[in-house]
Amino acid sequence: MSAITQPSRPDVAQVSALPNRWHLLGLEGKNRGEILSIVESAVGFREVLERDIKKVPALRGKTIVNLFLESSTRTRTSFEIAGKILSADTINIGSSDSSVTKGETVLDTAAVLEAMNPDVIVVRHSASGVPGMLAKLLKRSAIVNAGDGLHEHPSQALLDLVTIRESFGKITGLTIGIVGDVRHSRVARSNAYAHLALGNQVRFIGPPTLVPHDLSAAYSGAIPVFHSLKEGIAGCDIVMCLRMQLERMDEHFVPHLEEYSKEYGVSERMLRAYAPHAKVMHPGPANRGIEVSSEVLDGPRSLFHLQVKNGVATRMAILFHAVNGLSATVRN
Ligand code: CP
């Protein structure tokens, strides 16, 4: 009996990388032009969200896996909505419903997913560097960092820029005070890289335990550190509050949250006195009454909900470029 000849089947590892694959791992090292092109694409997509039928065919036939191995409300939901509006097929995997709970490594999990040939894998993980590792080791899928440990949260900083552009009519010539738990904040890191690339003034404000002086060295000394809230926010166009990342603190960085709030909680009284024209941003989720008062968060100077809204258009832009390359032009 003659042997049955199997048709040759390309091994996943042999499949060549997609020609236009573009990873978004972080904003460190990104230049002004790259950042502006993503922001402009997001602005182009914003109009789609106002339509009766929120659907464009830009990613029809493409597959996006949202691999969220750390909890998320905004980022996960907006990446899913963004993919669906672009007509991509989107699949969501969380830590509790993945085989990671059975001991599979994140790399094996991602390789399994890549064998099913998705165009993009969006990944959130509590360990810094996981998206970068996947981008190096996987051959086909574009990797998008949806937040990795203490490292970066690039899509958050990009949606912040889209929000600033909408609110101020510009994204340069601004002074941004980033207040609070800078030490543990991937949002602070991505925003700092983005604003420095755009030529904006950035300040870090908080107690020495959460904003050590040597943090400035990580940005070539370009970011002054303030341990006084009123001195730090004086003259700021934007006060960006950071969540106290209690889950990332393995020691006591502040004596008591109430004490912290008295010194560094952003209140309307403080803003009126020292930064009367400032807008306030917060990436969420917020600890109301700790890093920011409800009066500020729900008040007229708050961009909190606009940030969430712009998250969808921004993530549409990121997914579009992940599939088509950064030089592709958005046409709705
Ligand atoms: N800002 C942010 O990343 O929020 P989620 O954790 O809800 O995604």
mmCIF file with all atom_site columns, all heavy atoms in Angstrom, residues 59-74:
data_model
loop_
_atom_site.group_PDB
_atom_site.id
_atom_site.type_symbol
_atom_site.label_atom_id
_atom_site.label_alt_id
_atom_site.label_comp_id
_atom_site.label_asym_id
_atom_site.label_entity_id
_atom_site.label_seq_id
_atom_site.pdbx_PDB_ins_code
_atom_site.Cartn_x
_atom_site.Cartn_y
_atom_site.Cartn_z
_atom_site.occupancy
_atom_site.B_iso_or_equiv
_atom_site.pdbx_formal_charge
_atom_site.auth_seq_id
_atom_site.auth_comp_id
_atom_site.auth_asym_id
_atom_site.auth_atom_id
_atom_site.pdbx_PDB_model_num
ATOM 1   N N   . LEU A 1 59 ? -10.986 47.096 8.686  1.00 0.00 ? 59 LEU A N   1
ATOM 2   C CA  . LEU A 1 59 ? -10.274 45.865 9.081  1.00 0.00 ? 59 LEU A CA  1
ATOM 3   C C   . LEU A 1 59 ? -11.131 44.617 8.834  1.00 0.00 ? 59 LEU A C   1
ATOM 4   O O   . LEU A 1 59 ? -11.004 43.617 9.545  1.00 0.00 ? 59 LEU A O   1
ATOM 5   C CB  . LEU A 1 59 ? -9.826  45.941 10.544 1.00 0.00 ? 59 LEU A CB  1
ATOM 6   C CG  . LEU A 1 59 ? -8.779  47.000 10.895 1.00 0.00 ? 59 LEU A CG  1
ATOM 7   C CD1 . LEU A 1 59 ? -8.317  46.847 12.340 1.00 0.00 ? 59 LEU A CD1 1
ATOM 8   C CD2 . LEU A 1 59 ? -7.576  46.957 9.951  1.00 0.00 ? 59 LEU A CD2 1
ATOM 9   N N   . ARG A 1 60 ? -12.003 44.688 7.814  1.00 0.00 ? 60 ARG A N   1
ATOM 10  C CA  . ARG A 1 60 ? -12.835 43.522 7.512  1.00 0.00 ? 60 ARG A CA  1
ATOM 11  C C   . ARG A 1 60 ? -11.927 42.332 7.143  1.00 0.00 ? 60 ARG A C   1
ATOM 12  O O   . ARG A 1 60 ? -10.958 42.488 6.393  1.00 0.00 ? 60 ARG A O   1
ATOM 13  C CB  . ARG A 1 60 ? -13.781 43.837 6.343  1.00 0.00 ? 60 ARG A CB  1
ATOM 14  C CG  . ARG A 1 60 ? -14.819 42.752 6.122  1.00 0.00 ? 60 ARG A CG  1
ATOM 15  C CD  . ARG A 1 60 ? -15.940 43.225 5.254  1.00 0.00 ? 60 ARG A CD  1
ATOM 16  N NE  . ARG A 1 60 ? -15.421 43.760 3.995  1.00 0.00 ? 60 ARG A NE  1
ATOM 17  C CZ  . ARG A 1 60 ? -16.090 44.582 3.206  1.00 0.00 ? 60 ARG A CZ  1
ATOM 18  N NH1 . ARG A 1 60 ? -17.291 44.988 3.530  1.00 0.00 ? 60 ARG A NH1 1
ATOM 19  N NH2 . ARG A 1 60 ? -15.561 45.008 2.082  1.00 0.00 ? 60 ARG A NH2 1
ATOM 20  N N   . GLY A 1 61 ? -12.257 41.185 7.694  1.00 0.00 ? 61 GLY A N   1
ATOM 21  C CA  . GLY A 1 61 ? -11.451 39.983 7.395  1.00 0.00 ? 61 GLY A CA  1
ATOM 22  C C   . GLY A 1 61 ? -10.209 39.856 8.276  1.00 0.00 ? 61 GLY A C   1
ATOM 23  O O   . GLY A 1 61 ? -9.457  38.902 8.135  1.00 0.00 ? 61 GLY A O   1
ATOM 24  N N   . LYS A 1 62 ? -9.991  40.820 9.163  1.00 0.00 ? 62 LYS A N   1
ATOM 25  C CA  . LYS A 1 62 ? -8.839  40.751 10.074 1.00 0.00 ? 62 LYS A CA  1
ATOM 26  C C   . LYS A 1 62 ? -9.311  40.222 11.430 1.00 0.00 ? 62 LYS A C   1
ATOM 27  O O   . LYS A 1 62 ? -10.470 40.396 11.806 1.00 0.00 ? 62 LYS A O   1
ATOM 28  C CB  . LYS A 1 62 ? -8.193  42.133 10.260 1.00 0.00 ? 62 LYS A CB  1
ATOM 29  C CG  . LYS A 1 62 ? -7.782  42.804 8.953  1.00 0.00 ? 62 LYS A CG  1
ATOM 30  C CD  . LYS A 1 62 ? -6.702  42.037 8.236  1.00 0.00 ? 62 LYS A CD  1
ATOM 31  C CE  . LYS A 1 62 ? -6.322  42.710 6.929  1.00 0.00 ? 62 LYS A CE  1
ATOM 32  N NZ  . LYS A 1 62 ? -5.386  41.886 6.131  1.00 0.00 ? 62 LYS A NZ  1
ATOM 33  N N   . THR A 1 63 ? -8.379  39.608 12.145 1.00 0.00 ? 63 THR A N   1
ATOM 34  C CA  . THR A 1 63 ? -8.714  39.027 13.461 1.00 0.00 ? 63 THR A CA  1
ATOM 35  C C   . THR A 1 63 ? -7.853  39.671 14.540 1.00 0.00 ? 63 THR A C   1
ATOM 36  O O   . THR A 1 63 ? -6.633  39.786 14.371 1.00 0.00 ? 63 THR A O   1
ATOM 37  C CB  . THR A 1 63 ? -8.466  37.505 13.448 1.00 0.00 ? 63 THR A CB  1
ATOM 38  O OG1 . THR A 1 63 ? -9.173  36.940 12.340 1.00 0.00 ? 63 THR A OG1 1
ATOM 39  C CG2 . THR A 1 63 ? -8.951  36.856 14.729 1.00 0.00 ? 63 THR A CG2 1
ATOM 40  N N   . ILE A 1 64 ? -8.502  40.060 15.611 1.00 0.00 ? 64 ILE A N   1
ATOM 41  C CA  . ILE A 1 64 ? -7.794  40.692 16.736 1.00 0.00 ? 64 ILE A CA  1
ATOM 42  C C   . ILE A 1 64 ? -8.065  39.900 18.001 1.00 0.00 ? 64 ILE A C   1
ATOM 43  O O   . ILE A 1 64 ? -9.227  39.641 18.342 1.00 0.00 ? 64 ILE A O   1
ATOM 44  C CB  . ILE A 1 64 ? -8.276  42.150 16.924 1.00 0.00 ? 64 ILE A CB  1
ATOM 45  C CG1 . ILE A 1 64 ? -7.941  42.975 15.673 1.00 0.00 ? 64 ILE A CG1 1
ATOM 46  C CG2 . ILE A 1 64 ? -7.646  42.777 18.175 1.00 0.00 ? 64 ILE A CG2 1
ATOM 47  C CD1 . ILE A 1 64 ? -8.686  44.284 15.595 1.00 0.00 ? 64 ILE A CD1 1
ATOM 48  N N   . VAL A 1 65 ? -7.008  39.502 18.688 1.00 0.00 ? 65 VAL A N   1
ATOM 49  C CA  . VAL A 1 65 ? -7.150  38.828 19.984 1.00 0.00 ? 65 VAL A CA  1
ATOM 50  C C   . VAL A 1 65 ? -6.798  39.819 21.080 1.00 0.00 ? 65 VAL A C   1
ATOM 51  O O   . VAL A 1 65 ? -5.723  40.430 21.052 1.00 0.00 ? 65 VAL A O   1
ATOM 52  C CB  . VAL A 1 65 ? -6.218  37.596 20.078 1.00 0.00 ? 65 VAL A CB  1
ATOM 53  C CG1 . VAL A 1 65 ? -6.238  37.026 21.494 1.00 0.00 ? 65 VAL A CG1 1
ATOM 54  C CG2 . VAL A 1 65 ? -6.631  36.523 19.075 1.00 0.00 ? 65 VAL A CG2 1
ATOM 55  N N   . ASN A 1 66 ? -7.709  40.023 22.004 1.00 0.00 ? 66 ASN A N   1
ATOM 56  C CA  . ASN A 1 66 ? -7.440  40.866 23.182 1.00 0.00 ? 66 ASN A CA  1
ATOM 57  C C   . ASN A 1 66 ? -7.103  39.948 24.351 1.00 0.00 ? 66 ASN A C   1
ATOM 58  O O   . ASN A 1 66 ? -7.985  39.301 24.918 1.00 0.00 ? 66 ASN A O   1
ATOM 59  C CB  . ASN A 1 66 ? -8.676  41.707 23.532 1.00 0.00 ? 66 ASN A CB  1
ATOM 60  C CG  . ASN A 1 66 ? -8.985  42.734 22.465 1.00 0.00 ? 66 ASN A CG  1
ATOM 61  O OD1 . ASN A 1 66 ? -8.087  43.370 21.931 1.00 0.00 ? 66 ASN A OD1 1
ATOM 62  N ND2 . ASN A 1 66 ? -10.257 42.881 22.124 1.00 0.00 ? 66 ASN A ND2 1
ATOM 63  N N   . LEU A 1 67 ? -5.814  39.872 24.667 1.00 0.00 ? 67 LEU A N   1
ATOM 64  C CA  . LEU A 1 67 ? -5.337  38.967 25.712 1.00 0.00 ? 67 LEU A CA  1
ATOM 65  C C   . LEU A 1 67 ? -5.069  39.798 26.965 1.00 0.00 ? 67 LEU A C   1
ATOM 66  O O   . LEU A 1 67 ? -4.024  40.433 27.094 1.00 0.00 ? 67 LEU A O   1
ATOM 67  C CB  . LEU A 1 67 ? -4.053  38.270 25.225 1.00 0.00 ? 67 LEU A CB  1
ATOM 68  C CG  . LEU A 1 67 ? -3.368  37.306 26.186 1.00 0.00 ? 67 LEU A CG  1
ATOM 69  C CD1 . LEU A 1 67 ? -4.271  36.129 26.529 1.00 0.00 ? 67 LEU A CD1 1
ATOM 70  C CD2 . LEU A 1 67 ? -2.053  36.793 25.571 1.00 0.00 ? 67 LEU A CD2 1
ATOM 71  N N   . PHE A 1 68 ? -6.051  39.803 27.858 1.00 0.00 ? 68 PHE A N   1
ATOM 72  C CA  . PHE A 1 68 ? -5.941  40.654 29.057 1.00 0.00 ? 68 PHE A CA  1
ATOM 73  C C   . PHE A 1 68 ? -5.700  39.771 30.274 1.00 0.00 ? 68 PHE A C   1
ATOM 74  O O   . PHE A 1 68 ? -6.640  39.230 30.859 1.00 0.00 ? 68 PHE A O   1
ATOM 75  C CB  . PHE A 1 68 ? -7.191  41.520 29.212 1.00 0.00 ? 68 PHE A CB  1
ATOM 76  C CG  . PHE A 1 68 ? -7.091  42.784 28.398 1.00 0.00 ? 68 PHE A CG  1
ATOM 77  C CD1 . PHE A 1 68 ? -7.075  42.736 27.015 1.00 0.00 ? 68 PHE A CD1 1
ATOM 78  C CD2 . PHE A 1 68 ? -6.976  44.012 29.019 1.00 0.00 ? 68 PHE A CD2 1
ATOM 79  C CE1 . PHE A 1 68 ? -6.938  43.894 26.255 1.00 0.00 ? 68 PHE A CE1 1
ATOM 80  C CE2 . PHE A 1 68 ? -6.835  45.173 28.273 1.00 0.00 ? 68 PHE A CE2 1
ATOM 81  C CZ  . PHE A 1 68 ? -6.819  45.118 26.890 1.00 0.00 ? 68 PHE A CZ  1
ATOM 82  N N   . LEU A 1 69 ? -4.423  39.649 30.643 1.00 0.00 ? 69 LEU A N   1
ATOM 83  C CA  . LEU A 1 69 ? -4.058  38.800 31.774 1.00 0.00 ? 69 LEU A CA  1
ATOM 84  C C   . LEU A 1 69 ? -3.936  39.612 33.059 1.00 0.00 ? 69 LEU A C   1
ATOM 85  O O   . LEU A 1 69 ? -3.359  39.167 34.044 1.00 0.00 ? 69 LEU A O   1
ATOM 86  C CB  . LEU A 1 69 ? -2.765  38.035 31.447 1.00 0.00 ? 69 LEU A CB  1
ATOM 87  C CG  . LEU A 1 69 ? -2.909  37.127 30.208 1.00 0.00 ? 69 LEU A CG  1
ATOM 88  C CD1 . LEU A 1 69 ? -1.597  36.432 29.880 1.00 0.00 ? 69 LEU A CD1 1
ATOM 89  C CD2 . LEU A 1 69 ? -4.015  36.091 30.389 1.00 0.00 ? 69 LEU A CD2 1
ATOM 90  N N   . GLU A 1 70 ? -4.447  40.819 33.027 1.00 0.00 ? 70 GLU A N   1
ATOM 91  C CA  . GLU A 1 70 ? -4.580  41.677 34.218 1.00 0.00 ? 70 GLU A CA  1
ATOM 92  C C   . GLU A 1 70 ? -5.901  42.426 34.038 1.00 0.00 ? 70 GLU A C   1
ATOM 93  O O   . GLU A 1 70 ? -6.295  42.705 32.903 1.00 0.00 ? 70 GLU A O   1
ATOM 94  C CB  . GLU A 1 70 ? -3.407  42.678 34.285 1.00 0.00 ? 70 GLU A CB  1
ATOM 95  C CG  . GLU A 1 70 ? -3.345  43.457 35.578 1.00 0.00 ? 70 GLU A CG  1
ATOM 96  C CD  . GLU A 1 70 ? -2.334  44.612 35.481 1.00 0.00 ? 70 GLU A CD  1
ATOM 97  O OE1 . GLU A 1 70 ? -2.547  45.546 34.673 1.00 0.00 ? 70 GLU A OE1 1
ATOM 98  O OE2 . GLU A 1 70 ? -1.359  44.572 36.227 1.00 0.00 ? 70 GLU A OE2 1
ATOM 99  N N   . SER A 1 71 ? -6.556  42.787 35.137 1.00 0.00 ? 71 SER A N   1
ATOM 100 C CA  . SER A 1 71 ? -7.907  43.348 35.027 1.00 0.00 ? 71 SER A CA  1
ATOM 101 C C   . SER A 1 71 ? -7.927  44.699 34.308 1.00 0.00 ? 71 SER A C   1
ATOM 102 O O   . SER A 1 71 ? -6.942  45.430 34.313 1.00 0.00 ? 71 SER A O   1
ATOM 103 C CB  . SER A 1 71 ? -8.515  43.485 36.418 1.00 0.00 ? 71 SER A CB  1
ATOM 104 O OG  . SER A 1 71 ? -7.689  44.331 37.183 1.00 0.00 ? 71 SER A OG  1
ATOM 105 N N   . SER A 1 72 ? -9.057  44.981 33.713 1.00 0.00 ? 72 SER A N   1
ATOM 106 C CA  . SER A 1 72 ? -9.225  46.227 32.961 1.00 0.00 ? 72 SER A CA  1
ATOM 107 C C   . SER A 1 72 ? -10.701 46.428 32.671 1.00 0.00 ? 72 SER A C   1
ATOM 108 O O   . SER A 1 72 ? -11.411 45.459 32.386 1.00 0.00 ? 72 SER A O   1
ATOM 109 C CB  . SER A 1 72 ? -8.461  46.129 31.634 1.00 0.00 ? 72 SER A CB  1
ATOM 110 O OG  . SER A 1 72 ? -8.857  47.159 30.748 1.00 0.00 ? 72 SER A OG  1
ATOM 111 N N   . THR A 1 73 ? -11.158 47.660 32.734 1.00 0.00 ? 73 THR A N   1
ATOM 112 C CA  . THR A 1 73 ? -12.505 47.979 32.244 1.00 0.00 ? 73 THR A CA  1
ATOM 113 C C   . THR A 1 73 ? -12.393 48.778 30.947 1.00 0.00 ? 73 THR A C   1
ATOM 114 O O   . THR A 1 73 ? -12.853 48.362 29.886 1.00 0.00 ? 73 THR A O   1
ATOM 115 C CB  . THR A 1 73 ? -13.286 48.786 33.300 1.00 0.00 ? 73 THR A CB  1
ATOM 116 O OG1 . THR A 1 73 ? -13.417 47.982 34.463 1.00 0.00 ? 73 THR A OG1 1
ATOM 117 C CG2 . THR A 1 73 ? -14.677 49.163 32.793 1.00 0.00 ? 73 THR A CG2 1
ATOM 118 N N   . ARG A 1 74 ? -11.758 49.957 31.040 1.00 0.00 ? 74 ARG A N   1
ATOM 119 C CA  . ARG A 1 74 ? -11.725 50.880 29.900 1.00 0.00 ? 74 ARG A CA  1
ATOM 120 C C   . ARG A 1 74 ? -10.949 50.348 28.709 1.00 0.00 ? 74 ARG A C   1
ATOM 121 O O   . ARG A 1 74 ? -11.427 50.374 27.573 1.00 0.00 ? 74 ARG A O   1
ATOM 122 C CB  . ARG A 1 74 ? -11.044 52.201 30.300 1.00 0.00 ? 74 ARG A CB  1
ATOM 123 C CG  . ARG A 1 74 ? -11.766 52.973 31.301 1.00 0.00 ? 74 ARG A CG  1
ATOM 124 C CD  . ARG A 1 74 ? -10.771 53.779 32.156 1.00 0.00 ? 74 ARG A CD  1
ATOM 125 N NE  . ARG A 1 74 ? -11.448 54.261 33.324 1.00 0.00 ? 74 ARG A NE  1
ATOM 126 C CZ  . ARG A 1 74 ? -11.728 53.488 34.376 1.00 0.00 ? 74 ARG A CZ  1
ATOM 127 N NH1 . ARG A 1 74 ? -11.334 52.245 34.421 1.00 0.00 ? 74 ARG A NH1 1
ATOM 128 N NH2 . ARG A 1 74 ? -12.394 53.976 35.387 1.00 0.00 ? 74 ARG A NH2 1
#
